[in-house]
Amino acid sequence: MVSSPSYDPNAFVNGISGIGYRALLEDKNRPLVNRATLGIYPPASTVKPFIAVGALQEGVITTKTTRNDPGYWRIPNSKTRPFRDWLRWGHGKVDILKAIEESVDTFYYQIAYDMGIDRLSKWMMMFGFGDYTGIDIFEESKANMPTREWKMARHRTPWYQGDTIPVGIGQGYWTATPMQIAKATSVLVNRGEVLSPHLLRATINNGDSFDHQTLSEVDSRPPITGVQERYWDIALEGMRLVNHGVKGTARRAFTNMPFQSGGKSGTAQVFSLAEDEEYNAEELAEHLKDHALFTGFAPFENPKVVVTVVLENAGGGSSNGAPVARQLFDLALAEKEESEEE
C-alpha cells in the first residue's frame, strides 16, 4: 500500500516543529493524505468488467449481444448532445468481450441506459463501491456510489436519465478510492467472494513467544451469489484480452510477459469538455489533466496478485498506469517464486 508524495515520519518521533508541520499542511501536493484509502477519483473504465457481470446476470445483455459503435451514443428519442467514445471513429461491431478488450464506451452507455441507476448502483455496491472496504486502519473514505436518494439529499434535484449514462463508464457522480477498486478486482477474481483488505496478521504481548500470537480478525462481508460461472469467465477473459489481445488497450505494457494476466485500464476526466471541444493535454494546467488508472491480476490461471494503480494527472491509463502495474507484477511474482523455492 503506497501513497506518494509522502513525508519523512522520523520528523514526528520527537515532535515536529510548528514550521515543519505547517509546511506539510500547506503543501499543495497533500503529502499527509493517504491516497490509497482517502484519495477519491472517478474509477473510469476500470469498472467495466464489474458492470459486465451485473448486466449479464440481469439479462440487460447476453453473451451474444452485439452493437455497432459509430464513435458516439445518444439517448434514444432525444436531441441532447451525444456521448462520445474515446475512439472518435468508433469500434464497429462490438460484443461484450470486445467492449472490455477495447474499452468501448458506447457499449457501456447503452448498458447504463438499459440497466438504470437503481440496478447499476445495487450491483456496484455488492462489489464494495460506496462503502468502507473494511481495511483494518482508521483512515478510509466511502467515496460515492451515486443513487437517486443520494442526489436528492445532496443536490436537492431528482435523478435524470442523463445522469446515469456517464456512470456506465465510471464517471459522472461516481467516485472511488484505489483500495475500493483493488477490492472490487479481488471480488471479480474470486468469483463473488468478498475479501476485505487486511494488513495486521497477528499480535503478541510484549515478551511472549510467537507461539502465543493472537490472529487478528478479518472483516467479513456477504458474497455475491447466484451469478452464472460463465459470466465471471467472460469478465475475466475480457480482462485477459486487455493485456494480451490483439487490440487490448494495455497490450503494449504486457508484451513478452512470461505468463498471462488480466487487467483494465481507465482514464478519468477531471473536468467536462464542451460538445465541440477537443482534449489537449499540452494546453492544460497539470491539475486539470486526466488521471491514469489501471487494475489487474496475475497470473491469469490461479491468480496470486492484484494490483491497482492511480496516477494523478498522469494522462492515459493504458499508456501510463499499465506499465507501472506491469513492473509491480514482475516484482511481486518474482519474489513469490523465490520464497516458494526457499
Side-chain angles (χ1 to χ4, degrees), residues 53-296:
V53 172
L56 286 163
Q57 185 62 28
E58 290 286 336
V60 170
I61 58 171
T62 71
T63 57
K64 296 180 179 179
T65 297
T66 59
R67 297 190 176 115
N68 181 61
D69 168 35
Y72 63 90
W73 182 90
R74 197 188 300 272
I75 294 175
N77 303 315
S78 168
K79 294 182 180 181
T80 57
R81 71 185 182 96
F83 293 85
R84 296 189 292 188
D85 192 277
W86 68 266
L87 190 62
R88 179 170 288 279
W89 50 86
H91 299 262
K93 188 176 180 180
V94 179
D95 63 6
I96 185 58
L97 281 176
K98 184 175 181 178
I100 298 173
E101 177 184 2
E102 299 183 33
S103 201
V104 182
D105 292 334
T106 58
F107 195 90
Y108 279 89
Y109 292 146
Q110 185 69 50
I111 285 178
Y113 175 79
D114 292 336
M115 203 167 184
I117 191 59
D118 299 325
R119 288 190 290 178
L120 189 53
S121 61
K122 180 196 77 172
W123 272 95
M124 293 305 97
M125 286 175 179
M126 287 193 283
F127 277 91
F129 291 104
D131 196 6
Y132 298 119
T133 66
I135 193 170
D136 47 347
I137 56 174
F138 296 102
E139 51 170 23
E140 183 178 20
S141 171
K142 288 184 176 181
N144 184 51
M145 185 68 235
T147 63
R148 297 176 189 277
E149 295 75 19
W150 167 83
K151 190 185 177 191
M152 182 57 71
R154 176 68 183 273
H155 296 285
R156 297 291 188 268
T157 55
W159 188 270
Y160 299 111
Q161 204 168 45
D163 295 331
T164 306
I165 310 308
V167 174
I169 61 167
Q171 296 273 175
Y173 293 118
W174 190 353
T175 58
T177 67
M179 193 62 69
Q180 286 177 327
I181 300 171
K183 178 180 178 179
T185 305
S186 114
V187 173
L188 180 62
V189 168
N190 288 290
R191 298 169 181 268
E193 183 181 2
V194 180
L195 302 171
S196 294
H198 190 57
L199 296 173
L200 181 65
R201 182 183 186 276
T203 58
I204 59 173
N205 292 323
N206 185 31
D208 281 355
S209 70
F210 280 93
D211 295 335
H212 293 93
Q213 63 182 281
T214 302
L215 292 176
S216 58
E217 294 184 4
V218 180
D219 181 64
S220 60
R221 305 288 172 93
I224 301 175
T225 58
V227 175
Q228 295 187 40
E229 281 297 309
R230 61 184 181 136
Y231 296 160
W232 297 116
D233 290 339
I234 287 170
L236 294 167
E237 174 62 13
M239 294 181 76
R240 187 191 69 80
L241 291 171
V242 167
N243 289 3
H244 306 286
V246 175
K247 293 187 176 181
T249 54
R251 64 189 183 280
R252 290 183 178 87
F254 290 89
T255 55
N256 301 319
M257 201 173 193
F259 45 81
Q260 296 273 287
S261 60
K264 187 69 196 74
S265 59
T267 303
Q269 290 183 347
V270 177
F271 71 101
S272 297
L273 291 169
E275 184 175 353
D276 57 350
E277 188 178 3
E278 292 289 337
Y279 178 85
N280 189 337
E282 295 180 359
E283 296 179 355
L284 293 175
E286 183 177 354
H287 72 282
L288 293 177
K289 294 180 180 179
D290 293 341
H291 300 317
L293 295 87
F294 187 87
T295 193

Side-chain angles (χ1 to χ4, degrees), residues 10-69:
N10 290 318
F12 288 84
V13 173
N14 295 314
I16 191 171
S17 69
I19 294 175
Y21 188 53
R22 194 176 308 112
L24 289 174
L25 289 174
E26 295 175 354
D27 190 329
K28 63 181 179 63
N29 291 316
R30 302 183 300 162
L32 292 175
V33 175
N34 179 2
R35 286 160 164 81
T37 56
L38 293 173
I40 297 174
Y41 313 91
S45 293
T46 61
V47 301
K48 288 176 179 175
F50 317 139
I51 293 176
V53 172
L56 286 163
Q57 185 62 28
E58 290 286 336
V60 170
I61 58 171
T62 71
T63 57
K64 296 180 179 179
T65 297
T66 59
R67 297 190 176 115
N68 181 61
D69 168 35

